[in-house]
Amino acid sequence: MPEPLSLSEQFEQVVRQVQNDFVYGAERFIKIKTKDERIVPLTLNPVQRRLHAEIQKVYAEKRRPWFLLLKARQMGMSTYTEARSYWRMAY
């Protein structure tokens, strides 16, 4: 049986996971305020997940990520872009 990881090794693993996976980090460490004023973890909705998949596809193809979002209200695009901007800056 392998030796258990130390606390600092576990922390480093989590940091690496957050750095490499926006959805993992967002759902665990980014909180949002709901319309009824509760603070909850950010859980991507289907529209946000689709945008995220498209952005990841562009990065995987090593292209410049330029997106023009023509959006309806209340789809979570502003929340997604703000969270992703924070994640890119912080990690």
Side-chain angles (χ1 to χ4, degrees), residues 9-35:
E9 290 170 326
Q10 291 175 33
F11 178 76
E12 288 175 16
Q13 270 189 340
V14 170
V15 169
R16 275 194 300 278
Q17 182 74 22
V18 170
Q19 288 172 333
N20 295 320
D21 185 347
F22 167 73
V23 176
Y24 176 88
E27 291 181 346
R28 285 161 183 78
F29 300 107
I30 296 179
K31 309 290 185 215
I32 61 171
K33 186 184 284 190
T34 64
K35 292 176 185 159

Side-chain angles (χ1 to χ4, degrees), residues 62-80:
K62 306 246 187 275
R63 295 185 314 162
R64 188 174 244 177
W66 288 95
F67 289 88
L68 177 63
L69 298 177
L70 303 175
K71 64 184 195 83
R73 295 188 42 79
Q74 307 302 311
M75 299 292 278
M77 293 295 97
S78 296
T79 301
Y80 174 84

Side-chain angles (χ1 to χ4, degrees), residues 54-68 84 88:
E54 292 297 320
I55 290 171
Q56 291 303 103
K57 186 170 104 176
V58 167
Y59 276 116
E61 295 169 354
K62 306 246 187 275
R63 295 185 314 162
R64 188 174 244 177
W66 288 95
F67 289 88
L68 177 63
R84 186 162 176 106
R88 294 209 20 107

